[in-house]
């Protein structure tokens, strides 16, 4: 899959652009088939909808699906508003998220764009509706809030379960090739990408036993996301509330 053009922070394989929203430290990913121009947008943020749509228009892309890796608690998704501005656009999210979307995703489902596809791997634990999206050749995966770079998503709200998250990461993400590039939904230290091999060896939480991991996760004592009271209800209805 050639990469004829990239803008912003870009990675290889077809066209993939990694975009950043600073308030919630969220990464949005734009993937496109170089020949057909069909595209997929992962974890778009309401505050950056104009930026994202401008880039899509500049590149002449045909945005087919806007997908959320889970029902976010720290920002509002732009998928609902984006559907009003992009003809034919479909929204997607896990069927276990409890959120409204055109496409309710399950394990093994595919999101296609041109000759490429993302395969859904259910990775609950941060929330019941978390998914990891794996490129067809397993060269990269978009892990949402399940697995972060040298960390992982919290498990103390929204149906969180440390046991489920540990199992999800070890069975659904760490079983990918060691060279598989991992792109998270967030990073708070300026890091952009890791690999399966790196996280299996160096992640300070996931290198522990299950019992040790559960103890770590149960004692983080984190404050709730600032926008949680607004973001979760909005994201349950695709980011648009009456």
């Amino acid at each position: 899959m050639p990469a004829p053009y990239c803008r912003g922070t870009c990675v290889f394989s077809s066209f993939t652009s990694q975009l950043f929203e600073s308030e919630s430290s969220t990464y949005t990913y734009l993937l496109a088939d170089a020949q057909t121009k069909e595209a997929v947008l992962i974890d778009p943020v309401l505050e950056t909808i104009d930026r994202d749509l401008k880039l899509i228009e500049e590149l002449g892309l045909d945005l087919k699906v806007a997908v959320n890796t889970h029902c976010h608690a720290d920002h509002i998704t732009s998928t609902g508003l984006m559907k009003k501005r992009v003809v034919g656009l479909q929204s997607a999210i896990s069927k276990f998220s409890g959120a409204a979307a055109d496409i309710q995703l399950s394990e093994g489902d595919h999101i296609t764009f041109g000759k490429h596809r993302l395969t859904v791997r259910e990775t609950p634990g941060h929330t019941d509706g978390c998914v990891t999206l794996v490129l067809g050749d397993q060269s990269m995966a978009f892990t949402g809030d399940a697995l972060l770079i040298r960390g992982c998503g919290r498990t103390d709200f929204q149906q969180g379960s440390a046991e489920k998250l540990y199992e999800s990461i070890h069975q659904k993400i760490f079983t990918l090739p060691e060279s598989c590039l991992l792109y998270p939904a967030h990073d708070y230290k300026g890091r952009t990408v890791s690999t399966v091999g790196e996280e299996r060896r160096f992640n300070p939480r996931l290198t522990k036993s299950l019992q040790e991991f559960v103890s770590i996760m149960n004692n983080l004592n984190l404050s709730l996301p600032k926008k949680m009271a607004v973001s979760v209800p909005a994201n349950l209805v695709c980011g648009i509330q009456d």
Side-chain angles (χ1 to χ4, degrees):
M1 295 183 289
Y5 181 86
C6 282
R7 174 180 173 177
T9 303
C10 298
V11 295
F12 31 94
S13 233
S14 183
F15 165 82
T16 306
S17 184
Q18 184 182 49
L19 304 161
F20 187 66
E21 192 280 313
S22 59
E23 184 179 359
S24 61
S25 296
T26 299
Y27 286 124
T28 295
Y29 298 94
L30 176 63
L31 289 73
D33 181 277
Q35 280 73 47
T36 67
K37 302 292 186 180
E38 290 186 350
V40 173
L41 195 64
I42 301 173
D43 287 334
V45 179
L46 184 62
E47 284 79 1
T48 53
I49 185 172
D50 291 332
R51 175 204 66 187
D52 297 344
L53 290 180
K54 180 181 179 182
L55 177 58
I56 290 165
E57 182 180 3
E58 287 175 342
L59 299 179
L61 301 178
D62 179 13
L63 186 61
K64 293 295 188 181
V65 179
V67 54
N68 285 294
T69 54
H70 64 291
C71 182
H72 299 275
D74 56 1
H75 68 268
I76 297 175
T77 181
S78 66
T79 51
L81 183 58
M82 198 170 284
K83 284 178 56 181
K84 295 178 179 291
R85 296 172 59 176
V86 179
V87 176
L89 176 64
Q90 290 188 300
S91 58
I93 198 167
S94 167
K95 71 176 184 180
F96 296 111
S97 67
D102 299 309
I103 303 170
Q104 297 284 317
L105 299 169
S106 299
E107 178 77 18
D109 284 352
H110 300 304
I111 299 173
T112 60
F113 55 107
K115 65 179 180 181
H116 310 300
R117 69 183 186 184
L118 294 167
T119 300
V120 175
R121 292 194 176 195
E122 293 172 350
T123 48
H126 173 60
T127 73
D128 278 348
C130 286
V131 297
T132 290
L133 303 171
V134 183
L135 199 63
D137 62 1
Q138 297 192 349
S139 63
M140 61 178 67
F142 303 87
T143 58
D145 283 17
L147 180 62
L148 306 178
I149 299 172
R150 306 299 191 267
C152 63
R154 62 194 294 174
T155 58
D156 58 337
F157 64 84
Q158 279 189 290
Q159 316 95 39
S161 165
E163 291 86 353
K164 282 185 180 180
L165 184 59
Y166 188 90
E167 180 178 326
S168 291
I169 293 172
H170 280 273
Q171 294 187 5
K172 299 293 184 69
I173 300 176
F174 282 177
T175 53
L176 291 165
E178 284 214 343
S179 60
C180 178
L181 298 171
L182 299 178
Y183 292 97
H186 302 282
D187 192 83
Y188 308 98
K189 297 183 178 180
R191 299 164 299 194
T192 57
V193 61
S194 186
T195 66
V196 169
E198 279 188 35
E199 295 307 312
R200 286 179 64 185
R201 289 191 293 273
F202 305 126
N203 192 298
R205 297 179 184 175
L206 277 307
T207 50
K208 301 292 193 295
S209 68
L210 172 59
Q211 183 177 3
E212 291 172 316
F213 177 77
V214 171
S215 178
I216 290 171
M217 299 307 293
N218 287 345
N219 291 281
L220 293 178
N221 298 316
L222 300 172
S223 58
L224 293 176
K226 294 178 181 179
K227 290 187 175 182
M228 182 175 176
V230 175
S231 297
V232 172
N235 290 333
L236 288 172
V237 288
C238 211
I240 292 182
Q241 292 178 293
D242 295 330

